[in-house]
Amino acid sequence: MIVEERNYTLKPGKAGEFMALYQKKGLQIQTRILGNLIGYFLSEIGDLNVAVHLWGYESLEERTRRRGLLIQEQVWRDYIAAVTPLIDRMSNRILLPTAFSPIH
């Protein structure tokens, strides 16, 4: 298993609006297509206004396939257009489990 960590640094004062839009328009389609939502978080200490979400996949190929299906959905593209102005910076990482990780 691999884990994708996605981080969105939101513009100051926009975290509530971002989360409300995600719950209303993004969550259902993303979980339906991507599948394994491990967690969705909002930073409290350190870098503030950072939405962090973790997604599990069996492989990089599965991630590529599922994300390709997601971008084909008009509902998802509409959601992206609505939230992009709320985001200041985006980053993501692919995390590989260690031999002793409980997730592997």
Side-chain angles (χ1 to χ4, degrees), residues 1-36:
M1 171 186 245
I2 64 166
V3 173
E4 179 177 22
E5 173 191 348
R6 297 184 73 87
N7 298 287
Y8 302 155
T9 302
L10 307 170
K11 293 181 178 174
K14 298 299 183 180
E17 184 179 351
F18 177 88
M19 291 300 175
L21 276 169
Y22 182 71
Q23 266 191 297
K24 184 176 180 181
K25 297 184 177 187
L27 178 62
Q28 191 276 333
I29 190 167
Q30 199 171 32
T31 54
R32 178 173 57 82
I33 294 174
L34 299 183
N36 187 12

Side-chain angles (χ1 to χ4, degrees), residues 24-77:
K24 184 176 180 181
K25 297 184 177 187
L27 178 62
Q28 191 276 333
I29 190 167
Q30 199 171 32
T31 54
R32 178 173 57 82
I33 294 174
L34 299 183
N36 187 12
L37 175 60
I38 296 170
Y40 212 108
F41 309 91
L42 190 59
S43 63
E44 178 68 23
I45 296 174
D47 292 334
L48 299 178
N49 300 311
V50 181
V52 179
H53 42 122
L54 304 171
W55 298 88
Y57 301 98
E58 289 302 315
S59 65
L60 283 172
E61 293 78 15
E62 179 193 12
R63 177 198 171 271
T64 299
R65 182 183 68 78
R66 289 180 179 266
R67 293 207 58 88
L69 292 171
L70 184 63
I71 199 63
Q72 292 176 26
E73 297 283 337
Q74 186 61 50
V75 172
W76 180 251
R77 291 193 306 270

